[in-house]
Amino acid sequence: MSASLGKVVVFGGSGFIGRHIVQRLARTGARIIIPSRHPGQVTPLRTAGEVGQIVPIAIDVNDDAAVAAAVAESDAVINLIGILAPSRGNGFEAVQHQAAARIARAAAAAGTRTFVQMSAIGADATSDSAYASSKGAGEAAVRAVFPGAVILRPSIVFGPGDGFFHRFGRMARILPFLPLIGGGHTRFQPVYAGDVADAVMVALNDPTCTGRTYELGGPRAYSFKELLDYVRRQAGVPGRWLVTLPFPIATLQATFMELLPGKPLTRDQVRLLRRDNVVSGSLPGLTDLGIMPTALELIVPTYLRPPRG
Ligand SMILES: NC(=O)c1ccc[n+]([C@@H]2O[C@H](COP(=O)([O-])OP(=O)(O)OC[C@H]3O[C@@H](n4cnc5c(N)ncnc54)[C@H](OP(=O)(O)O)[C@@H]3O)[C@@H](O)[C@H]2O)c1
């Protein structure tokens, strides 16, 4: 068990990856603040710690004073805030760039010792994808005001409650086919949420991580087609067709789908699928943090396999 980290503020701590991190932080005895737009929904997470150890607070991340108050006297700040698609009042630029900059600026002003910024593989301020460009701009803004920040860039993240495997598992059960966007050639290197959370814990405790950027990928890369084939077998529907959807058709379809509630597919996501989502090899990764990546075959069946009987 690591030593207590004092006060740790986890922006986005209510989310999928955040829950894994908060559980680990709680074991260290840290006092954990979780700023959220919906603090009432964070209540179940409080049971991960002792009474009063985990405190959800309401936040508007566009408000300088509110962000400054949240990070005051903190020893560490972790920013996990991110979105996959914009919604009313929650755009990529505001959430993944401006809010990241505001939180890092406030943490620097408060004298916070450690800052961890959760970015994503492919983050690039010059990208034609709004998701990737806002992640890249967010990284640069954080570095500019908090040079010692540790930036973590995961590939797609798996674990109970994830977006990718649950979503395609559900689609496999209800649709006659699964869409192989762009032929399914895009490569991914799925990484376990527990390993990402362990990486955050190392980043908080090991001063040699200061100022570095890490790319987090699992033990091997898979094509999109291999992943969908795996999903249909695990979901108990191995006969579901995998139907190629060329990029222009997928873009056209996304034009309509992004008008639906929850935006099941957006043109920006189709743009992202044109690039591989695997570690580059030019930046340090999980093994440099002393973490052996967990194979998805060990974890995904525990939540995707249909119940017996
Ligand atoms: N999951 C993946 O496969 C994956 C892959 C690469 C990178 N990442 C990055 O890892 C981070 C965490 O991902 P996740 O999968 O845990 O996401 P998630 O489950 O969707 O959680 C995202 C968090 O962002 C917060 N948030 C969104 N908009 C906000 C706003 N306007 N103000 C304040 N909070 C806001 C939400 O908090 P409230 O709703 O409580 O306010 C939520 O806790 C993100 O930055 C994501 O881009 C994830």
Side-chain angles (χ1 to χ4, degrees), residues 11-19 35-38 41-42 59 61 79-83 89-90 95-96 118-121 131 135 154-158 163:
F11 288 86
S14 60
F16 160 56
I17 297 173
R19 290 193 290 273
S36 166
R37 290 164 301 171
H38 319 286
Q41 291 173 17
V42 185
I59 193 89
V61 287
N79 179 29
L80 307 169
I81 292 179
I83 50 173
N90 220 30
V95 173
Q96 302 199 145
M118 193 64 70
S119 186
I121 281 185
Y131 173 86
K135 279 287 191 194
S155 181
I156 52 170
V157 182
F158 64 87

Side-chain angles (χ1 to χ4, degrees), residues 12-289:
S14 60
F16 160 56
I17 297 173
R19 290 193 290 273
H20 288 262
I21 295 169
V22 168
Q23 278 165 3
R24 281 159 177 73
L25 282 171
R27 281 184 232 134
T28 71
R31 200 154 54 86
I32 305 162
I33 310 297
I34 306 180
S36 166
R37 290 164 301 171
H38 319 286
Q41 291 173 17
V42 185
T43 305
L45 252 184
R46 299 178 77 153
T47 57
E50 302 292 329
V51 175
Q53 186 187 2
I54 301 172
V55 181
I57 60 168
I59 193 89
D60 171 2
V61 287
N62 303 308
D63 179 342
D64 285 321
V67 171
V71 304
E73 294 172 24
S74 61
D75 297 282
V77 171
I78 303 165
N79 179 29
L80 307 169
I81 292 179
I83 50 173
L84 266 179
S87 56
R88 192 188 292 258
N90 220 30
F92 283 123
E93 171 63 16
V95 173
Q96 302 199 145
H97 176 193
Q98 300 301 341
R102 185 171 298 108
I103 294 167
R105 214 166 32 239
T112 304
R113 192 169 25 88
T114 319
F115 191 93
V116 179
Q117 167 70 10
M118 193 64 70
S119 186
I121 281 185
D124 173 3
T126 66
S127 172
D128 61 351
S129 147
Y131 173 86
S133 66
S134 58
K135 279 287 191 194
E139 285 189 3
V142 166
R143 271 264 175 274
V145 295
F146 206 120
V150 184
I151 294 175
L152 302 177
R153 295 178 172 176
S155 181
I156 52 170
V157 182
F158 64 87
D162 68 26
F164 186 93
F165 288 95
H166 275 290
R167 179 182 181 183
F168 284 105
R170 222 172 24 244
M171 282 170 71
R173 289 195 188 99
I174 58 176
L175 296 178
F177 69 91
L178 288 171
L180 280 180
I181 295 173
H185 305 298
T186 316
R187 291 165 69 244
F188 294 91
Q189 199 166 343
V191 57
Y192 177 44
D195 293 339
V196 175
D198 285 343
V200 170
M201 296 307 291
V202 177
L204 292 175
N205 286 294
D206 183 349
T208 65
C209 298
T210 305
R212 301 185 84 184
T213 299
Y214 294 84
E215 287 181 331
L216 310 180
R220 59 161 285 213
Y222 306 76
S223 68
F224 188 44
K225 183 176 181 179
E226 284 177 304
L227 288 178
L228 290 196
D229 178 43
Y230 182 72
V231 166
R232 68 179 172 174
R233 285 186 280 116
Q234 290 303 319
V237 285
R240 284 290 182 272
W241 294 331
L242 301 181
V243 176
T244 291
L245 207 59
F247 281 120
I249 309 269
T251 304
L252 189 66
Q253 203 173 54
T255 309
F256 299 103
M257 290 177 81
E258 62 190 31
L259 300 174
L260 298 175
K263 304 192 181 190
L265 183 68
T266 66
R267 282 168 289 175
D268 200 61
Q269 286 162 0
V270 176
R271 240 171 261 133
L272 274 176
L273 277 168
R274 288 178 180 269
R275 278 167 227 103
D276 287 340
N277 195 292
V278 295
V279 303
S280 64
S282 59
L283 288 169
L286 280 178
T287 51
D288 299 284
L289 293 163

